[in-house]
Amino acid sequence: MSDFFNPRHRDRTYAPDDNLGREQPDMRQTNKVSWFEMPADDLGRASSFYSNVFGWRTPPMGTEGAYALTTAADDSGNPTEVGAINGGIHRRANEADAGPVVNISVDDIDATLERIVAAGGRIIQPRSEVEEFGLSMALFADTEGNVLGIYTSGGA
């Protein structure tokens, strides 16, 4: 699992949105897609591509030389628009690291892994601790073979 993106900003609630007249949702809400990861063989090339095509900021992030991918964001890379999520590009680790992964926040990672298996999914990467960001994470495949990530902050 890459360590390129720090979801600790999910502890914040965002300022009122002028278009909706209400505060944006707390990004720590569970069972929500929180960020995405995309593997790349050439990080600079991938960074340039997304910057040139979509105008995304792609600053280096984390200890692995990865890049963040941000849409409308503050100086810390936190989304500033309702519905926006950010993500990152990390160096492809192996052939199994084939495509993008969306990451979903959960309350209890172990209970969620049990429900995944009971529903016909399978665990790709068991729970692991990402101490740099204070997270527990796991990867799973759904019944259709799609790989997704789940995480929880604070060791739950």
Side-chain angles (χ1 to χ4, degrees):
M1 180 67 52
S2 73
D3 67 346
F4 66 88
F5 188 70
N6 183 348
R8 283 188 181 172
H9 72 274
R10 285 162 183 72
D11 291 336
R12 298 185 197 154
T13 304
Y14 294 95
D17 182 280
D18 291 333
N19 294 325
L20 298 177
R22 62 178 172 79
E23 288 203 346
Q24 294 185 14
D26 179 350
M27 296 302 282
R28 285 194 53 183
Q29 292 177 357
T30 58
N31 301 324
K32 307 283 187 219
V33 172
S34 299
W35 85 90
F36 61 90
E37 302 178 24
M38 293 193 302
D41 296 317
D42 183 322
L43 293 175
R45 180 179 63 207
S47 174
S48 291
F49 175 84
Y50 288 101
S51 179
N52 290 329
V53 173
F54 298 109
W56 293 352
R57 292 180 352 167
T58 57
M61 191 163 226
T63 60
E64 303 275 324
Y67 290 90
L69 289 176
T70 62
T71 57
D74 64 18
D75 289 339
S76 298
N78 302 323
T80 57
E81 294 179 358
V82 172
I85 64 169
N86 290 324
I89 307 167
H90 64 274
R91 189 169 313 285
R92 188 180 317 276
N94 53 48
E95 287 182 24
D97 197 6
V101 172
V102 297
N103 291 281
I104 303 164
S105 171
V106 298
D107 282 330
D108 184 326
I109 200 165
D110 297 316
T112 303
L113 288 171
E114 288 176 15
R115 288 194 307 273
I116 288 167
V117 172
R122 66 187 166 89
I123 299 170
I124 302 294
Q125 175 185 311
R127 178 186 181 141
S128 62
E129 306 306 313
V130 185
E131 292 180 14
E132 181 179 3
F133 299 127
L135 301 174
S136 297
M137 300 186 77
L139 292 175
F140 71 94
D142 67 11
T143 57
E144 308 312 304
N146 298 304
V147 176
L148 295 101
I150 56 174
Y151 79 96
T152 189
S153 299

mmCIF file of all heavy atoms in Angstrom, residues 16-46:
data_model
loop_
_atom_site.group_PDB
_atom_site.id
_atom_site.type_symbol
_atom_site.label_atom_id
_atom_site.label_comp_id
_atom_site.label_asym_id
_atom_site.label_seq_id
_atom_site.Cartn_x
_atom_site.Cartn_y
_atom_site.Cartn_z
ATOM 1 N N PRO A 16 -18.224 27.071 5.077
ATOM 2 C CA PRO A 16 -19.484 27.072 4.324
ATOM 3 C C PRO A 16 -19.241 27.251 2.834
ATOM 4 O O PRO A 16 -18.347 27.972 2.427
ATOM 5 C CB PRO A 16 -20.234 28.276 4.902
ATOM 6 C CG PRO A 16 -19.644 28.482 6.251
ATOM 7 C CD PRO A 16 -18.197 28.059 6.133
ATOM 8 N N ASP A 17 -20.021 26.586 2.054
ATOM 9 C CA ASP A 17 -19.925 26.656 0.601
ATOM 10 C C ASP A 17 -20.917 27.704 0.115
ATOM 11 O O ASP A 17 -22.097 27.625 0.407
ATOM 12 C CB ASP A 17 -20.244 25.279 0.015
ATOM 13 C CG ASP A 17 -20.124 25.273 -1.488
ATOM 14 O OD1 ASP A 17 -21.074 25.728 -2.142
ATOM 15 O OD2 ASP A 17 -19.087 24.817 -1.993
ATOM 16 N N ASP A 18 -20.437 28.687 -0.637
ATOM 17 C CA ASP A 18 -21.304 29.774 -1.090
ATOM 18 C C ASP A 18 -22.454 29.281 -1.965
ATOM 19 O O ASP A 18 -23.535 29.840 -1.954
ATOM 20 C CB ASP A 18 -20.492 30.810 -1.873
ATOM 21 C CG ASP A 18 -19.534 31.558 -0.974
ATOM 22 O OD1 ASP A 18 -19.811 31.675 0.241
ATOM 23 O OD2 ASP A 18 -18.507 32.024 -1.490
ATOM 24 N N ASN A 19 -22.227 28.207 -2.732
ATOM 25 C CA ASN A 19 -23.261 27.727 -3.637
ATOM 26 C C ASN A 19 -24.383 26.986 -2.917
ATOM 27 O O ASN A 19 -25.514 26.998 -3.347
ATOM 28 C CB ASN A 19 -22.657 26.796 -4.693
ATOM 29 C CG ASN A 19 -21.713 27.541 -5.595
ATOM 30 O OD1 ASN A 19 -21.929 28.706 -5.898
ATOM 31 N ND2 ASN A 19 -20.638 26.891 -5.994
ATOM 32 N N LEU A 20 -24.057 26.311 -1.817
ATOM 33 C CA LEU A 20 -25.062 25.506 -1.145
ATOM 34 C C LEU A 20 -25.549 26.119 0.152
ATOM 35 O O LEU A 20 -26.574 25.710 0.684
ATOM 36 C CB LEU A 20 -24.501 24.109 -0.844
ATOM 37 C CG LEU A 20 -24.115 23.292 -2.075
ATOM 38 C CD1 LEU A 20 -23.512 21.971 -1.646
ATOM 39 C CD2 LEU A 20 -25.331 23.046 -2.946
ATOM 40 N N GLY A 21 -24.823 27.096 0.681
ATOM 41 C CA GLY A 21 -25.224 27.731 1.910
ATOM 42 C C GLY A 21 -25.165 26.811 3.120
ATOM 43 O O GLY A 21 -25.854 27.019 4.103
ATOM 44 N N ARG A 22 -24.368 25.750 3.046
ATOM 45 C CA ARG A 22 -24.218 24.851 4.193
ATOM 46 C C ARG A 22 -22.765 24.378 4.240
ATOM 47 O O ARG A 22 -22.027 24.514 3.278
ATOM 48 C CB ARG A 22 -25.154 23.654 4.089
ATOM 49 C CG ARG A 22 -24.877 22.792 2.871
ATOM 50 C CD ARG A 22 -25.806 21.586 2.849
ATOM 51 N NE ARG A 22 -25.694 20.847 1.624
ATOM 52 C CZ ARG A 22 -24.734 19.983 1.337
ATOM 53 N NH1 ARG A 22 -23.769 19.740 2.178
ATOM 54 N NH2 ARG A 22 -24.720 19.346 0.182
ATOM 55 N N GLU A 23 -22.379 23.821 5.362
ATOM 56 C CA GLU A 23 -21.018 23.318 5.472
ATOM 57 C C GLU A 23 -20.866 22.059 4.652
ATOM 58 O O GLU A 23 -21.805 21.284 4.485
ATOM 59 C CB GLU A 23 -20.674 23.030 6.930
ATOM 60 C CG GLU A 23 -20.488 24.289 7.722
ATOM 61 C CD GLU A 23 -19.627 24.064 8.947
ATOM 62 O OE1 GLU A 23 -19.389 22.915 9.325
ATOM 63 O OE2 GLU A 23 -19.205 25.064 9.497
ATOM 64 N N GLN A 24 -19.664 21.867 4.148
ATOM 65 C CA GLN A 24 -19.378 20.652 3.427
ATOM 66 C C GLN A 24 -19.319 19.504 4.423
ATOM 67 O O GLN A 24 -19.075 19.707 5.605
ATOM 68 C CB GLN A 24 -18.049 20.776 2.687
ATOM 69 C CG GLN A 24 -18.106 21.817 1.591
ATOM 70 C CD GLN A 24 -16.831 21.851 0.797
ATOM 71 O OE1 GLN A 24 -16.013 20.962 0.876
ATOM 72 N NE2 GLN A 24 -16.655 22.890 0.022
ATOM 73 N N PRO A 25 -19.543 18.284 3.967
ATOM 74 C CA PRO A 25 -19.567 17.147 4.885
ATOM 75 C C PRO A 25 -18.203 16.886 5.503
ATOM 76 O O PRO A 25 -17.177 17.138 4.901
ATOM 77 C CB PRO A 25 -19.989 15.983 3.987
ATOM 78 C CG PRO A 25 -19.702 16.421 2.603
ATOM 79 C CD PRO A 25 -19.783 17.916 2.590
ATOM 80 N N ASP A 26 -18.227 16.362 6.718
ATOM 81 C CA ASP A 26 -17.017 15.923 7.391
ATOM 82 C C ASP A 26 -16.493 14.714 6.622
ATOM 83 O O ASP A 26 -17.189 13.711 6.489
ATOM 84 C CB ASP A 26 -17.359 15.542 8.831
ATOM 85 C CG ASP A 26 -16.160 15.052 9.614
ATOM 86 O OD1 ASP A 26 -15.096 14.819 9.018
ATOM 87 O OD2 ASP A 26 -16.303 14.908 10.839
ATOM 88 N N MET A 27 -15.264 14.788 6.128
ATOM 89 C CA MET A 27 -14.716 13.734 5.286
ATOM 90 C C MET A 27 -14.437 12.448 6.065
ATOM 91 O O MET A 27 -14.084 11.446 5.479
ATOM 92 C CB MET A 27 -13.451 14.226 4.596
ATOM 93 C CG MET A 27 -13.692 15.371 3.638
ATOM 94 S SD MET A 27 -14.862 14.970 2.344
ATOM 95 C CE MET A 27 -13.790 14.012 1.297
ATOM 96 N N ARG A 28 -14.583 12.479 7.392
ATOM 97 C CA ARG A 28 -14.367 11.268 8.174
ATOM 98 C C ARG A 28 -15.614 10.411 8.243
ATOM 99 O O ARG A 28 -15.605 9.367 8.862
ATOM 100 C CB ARG A 28 -13.920 11.630 9.586
ATOM 101 C CG ARG A 28 -12.485 12.082 9.606
ATOM 102 C CD ARG A 28 -11.951 12.105 10.966
ATOM 103 N NE ARG A 28 -12.174 10.810 11.596
ATOM 104 C CZ ARG A 28 -11.857 10.540 12.842
ATOM 105 N NH1 ARG A 28 -11.334 11.453 13.593
ATOM 106 N NH2 ARG A 28 -12.078 9.358 13.361
ATOM 107 N N GLN A 29 -16.703 10.842 7.651
ATOM 108 C CA GLN A 29 -17.894 10.004 7.666
ATOM 109 C C GLN A 29 -17.529 8.643 7.106
ATOM 110 O O GLN A 29 -16.801 8.534 6.136
ATOM 111 C CB GLN A 29 -19.010 10.632 6.842
ATOM 112 C CG GLN A 29 -19.547 11.892 7.453
ATOM 113 C CD GLN A 29 -20.603 12.514 6.564
ATOM 114 O OE1 GLN A 29 -20.882 12.040 5.479
ATOM 115 N NE2 GLN A 29 -21.182 13.586 7.041
ATOM 116 N N THR A 30 -18.064 7.610 7.710
ATOM 117 C CA THR A 30 -17.679 6.277 7.279
ATOM 118 C C THR A 30 -18.496 5.803 6.097
ATOM 119 O O THR A 30 -19.549 6.330 5.786
ATOM 120 C CB THR A 30 -17.810 5.283 8.445
ATOM 121 O OG1 THR A 30 -19.149 5.300 8.902
ATOM 122 C CG2 THR A 30 -16.862 5.641 9.571
ATOM 123 N N ASN A 31 -17.948 4.773 5.460
ATOM 124 C CA ASN A 31 -18.535 4.134 4.295
ATOM 125 C C ASN A 31 -18.640 5.086 3.113
ATOM 126 O O ASN A 31 -19.516 4.947 2.267
ATOM 127 C CB ASN A 31 -19.892 3.509 4.642
ATOM 128 C CG ASN A 31 -19.766 2.472 5.739
ATOM 129 O OD1 ASN A 31 -18.773 1.751 5.801
ATOM 130 N ND2 ASN A 31 -20.741 2.406 6.603
ATOM 131 N N LYS A 32 -17.744 6.033 3.041
ATOM 132 C CA LYS A 32 -17.667 6.995 1.944
ATOM 133 C C LYS A 32 -16.317 6.852 1.238
ATOM 134 O O LYS A 32 -15.305 6.590 1.872
ATOM 135 C CB LYS A 32 -17.773 8.436 2.455
ATOM 136 C CG LYS A 32 -18.978 8.710 3.326
ATOM 137 C CD LYS A 32 -20.225 8.845 2.509
ATOM 138 C CE LYS A 32 -21.360 9.280 3.411
ATOM 139 N NZ LYS A 32 -22.589 8.668 3.137
ATOM 140 N N VAL A 33 -16.310 7.044 -0.066
ATOM 141 C CA VAL A 33 -15.052 7.090 -0.799
ATOM 142 C C VAL A 33 -14.303 8.342 -0.352
ATOM 143 O O VAL A 33 -14.873 9.436 -0.328
ATOM 144 C CB VAL A 33 -15.291 7.123 -2.324
ATOM 145 C CG1 VAL A 33 -13.994 7.361 -3.070
ATOM 146 C CG2 VAL A 33 -15.957 5.829 -2.780
ATOM 147 N N SER A 34 -13.060 8.185 0.034
ATOM 148 C CA SER A 34 -12.294 9.295 0.588
ATOM 149 C C SER A 34 -11.149 9.757 -0.298
ATOM 150 O O SER A 34 -10.811 10.921 -0.310
ATOM 151 C CB SER A 34 -11.717 8.906 1.945
ATOM 152 O OG SER A 34 -12.751 8.613 2.845
ATOM 153 N N TRP A 35 -10.496 8.850 -0.976
ATOM 154 C CA TRP A 35 -9.426 9.228 -1.885
ATOM 155 C C TRP A 35 -9.159 8.082 -2.837
ATOM 156 O O TRP A 35 -9.670 6.995 -2.675
ATOM 157 C CB TRP A 35 -8.162 9.668 -1.144
ATOM 158 C CG TRP A 35 -7.201 8.608 -0.714
ATOM 159 C CD1 TRP A 35 -6.139 8.124 -1.435
ATOM 160 C CD2 TRP A 35 -7.158 7.916 0.537
ATOM 161 N NE1 TRP A 35 -5.462 7.187 -0.712
ATOM 162 C CE2 TRP A 35 -6.067 7.039 0.508
ATOM 163 C CE3 TRP A 35 -7.948 7.955 1.679
ATOM 164 C CZ2 TRP A 35 -5.735 6.212 1.568
ATOM 165 C CZ3 TRP A 35 -7.618 7.127 2.735
ATOM 166 C CH2 TRP A 35 -6.530 6.278 2.675
ATOM 167 N N PHE A 36 -8.368 8.349 -3.871
ATOM 168 C CA PHE A 36 -8.029 7.327 -4.845
ATOM 169 C C PHE A 36 -6.517 7.266 -5.001
ATOM 170 O O PHE A 36 -5.809 8.213 -4.684
ATOM 171 C CB PHE A 36 -8.697 7.590 -6.204
ATOM 172 C CG PHE A 36 -8.279 8.891 -6.833
ATOM 173 C CD1 PHE A 36 -7.178 8.942 -7.677
ATOM 174 C CD2 PHE A 36 -8.977 10.064 -6.575
ATOM 175 C CE1 PHE A 36 -6.778 10.140 -8.258
ATOM 176 C CE2 PHE A 36 -8.594 11.262 -7.143
ATOM 177 C CZ PHE A 36 -7.491 11.297 -7.989
ATOM 178 N N GLU A 37 -6.044 6.140 -5.487
ATOM 179 C CA GLU A 37 -4.627 5.934 -5.774
ATOM 180 C C GLU A 37 -4.491 5.395 -7.187
ATOM 181 O O GLU A 37 -5.296 4.576 -7.610
ATOM 182 C CB GLU A 37 -4.028 4.889 -4.821
ATOM 183 C CG GLU A 37 -4.157 5.219 -3.378
ATOM 184 C CD GLU A 37 -3.586 4.117 -2.493
ATOM 185 O OE1 GLU A 37 -2.723 3.345 -2.968
ATOM 186 O OE2 GLU A 37 -3.994 4.037 -1.342
ATOM 187 N N MET A 38 -3.465 5.862 -7.885
ATOM 188 C CA MET A 38 -3.202 5.345 -9.217
ATOM 189 C C MET A 38 -1.732 4.980 -9.333
ATOM 190 O O MET A 38 -0.865 5.798 -9.027
ATOM 191 C CB MET A 38 -3.558 6.382 -10.278
ATOM 192 C CG MET A 38 -5.037 6.638 -10.343
ATOM 193 S SD MET A 38 -5.572 7.560 -11.789
ATOM 194 C CE MET A 38 -4.631 9.047 -11.666
ATOM 195 N N PRO A 39 -1.444 3.758 -9.772
ATOM 196 C CA PRO A 39 -0.051 3.370 -9.955
ATOM 197 C C PRO A 39 0.506 3.929 -11.258
ATOM 198 O O PRO A 39 -0.237 4.168 -12.216
ATOM 199 C CB PRO A 39 -0.123 1.842 -10.003
ATOM 200 C CG PRO A 39 -1.485 1.554 -10.548
ATOM 201 C CD PRO A 39 -2.369 2.663 -10.037
ATOM 202 N N ALA A 40 1.812 4.148 -11.277
ATOM 203 C CA ALA A 40 2.472 4.637 -12.489
ATOM 204 C C ALA A 40 3.871 4.046 -12.567
ATOM 205 O O ALA A 40 4.523 3.837 -11.544
ATOM 206 C CB ALA A 40 2.554 6.160 -12.470
ATOM 207 N N ASP A 41 4.312 3.790 -13.776
ATOM 208 C CA ASP A 41 5.686 3.345 -13.983
ATOM 209 C C ASP A 41 6.640 4.530 -13.970
ATOM 210 O O ASP A 41 7.776 4.415 -13.525
ATOM 211 C CB ASP A 41 5.809 2.591 -15.316
ATOM 212 C CG ASP A 41 4.982 1.308 -15.300
ATOM 213 O OD1 ASP A 41 5.016 0.592 -14.278
ATOM 214 O OD2 ASP A 41 4.293 1.046 -16.294
ATOM 215 N N ASP A 42 6.190 5.671 -14.457
ATOM 216 C CA ASP A 42 6.997 6.891 -14.512
ATOM 217 C C ASP A 42 6.199 7.999 -13.831
ATOM 218 O O ASP A 42 5.273 8.559 -14.411
ATOM 219 C CB ASP A 42 7.295 7.242 -15.962
ATOM 220 C CG ASP A 42 8.190 8.451 -16.137
ATOM 221 O OD1 ASP A 42 8.038 9.429 -15.365
ATOM 222 O OD2 ASP A 42 9.029 8.428 -17.045
ATOM 223 N N LEU A 43 6.553 8.304 -12.581
ATOM 224 C CA LEU A 43 5.784 9.274 -11.798
ATOM 225 C C LEU A 43 5.772 10.658 -12.438
ATOM 226 O O LEU A 43 4.744 11.327 -12.460
ATOM 227 C CB LEU A 43 6.340 9.361 -10.381
ATOM 228 C CG LEU A 43 6.172 8.114 -9.529
ATOM 229 C CD1 LEU A 43 6.878 8.282 -8.196
ATOM 230 C CD2 LEU A 43 4.714 7.796 -9.331
ATOM 231 N N GLY A 44 6.898 11.109 -12.953
ATOM 232 C CA GLY A 44 6.956 12.423 -13.584
ATOM 233 C C GLY A 44 6.065 12.510 -14.807
ATOM 234 O O GLY A 44 5.363 13.502 -15.015
ATOM 235 N N ARG A 45 6.091 11.475 -15.624
ATOM 236 C CA ARG A 45 5.262 11.444 -16.828
ATOM 237 C C ARG A 45 3.786 11.471 -16.451
ATOM 238 O O ARG A 45 3.000 12.226 -17.032
ATOM 239 C CB ARG A 45 5.602 10.197 -17.650
ATOM 240 C CG ARG A 45 4.794 10.070 -18.930
ATOM 241 C CD ARG A 45 5.181 8.839 -19.716
ATOM 242 N NE ARG A 45 4.885 7.627 -18.960
ATOM 243 C CZ ARG A 45 5.536 6.484 -19.125
ATOM 244 N NH1 ARG A 45 6.518 6.380 -19.995
ATOM 245 N NH2 ARG A 45 5.197 5.415 -18.408
ATOM 246 N N ALA A 46 3.396 10.648 -15.480
ATOM 247 C CA ALA A 46 1.999 10.611 -15.051
ATOM 248 C C ALA A 46 1.582 11.952 -14.445
ATOM 249 O O ALA A 46 0.494 12.462 -14.717
ATOM 250 C CB ALA A 46 1.779 9.481 -14.051
#
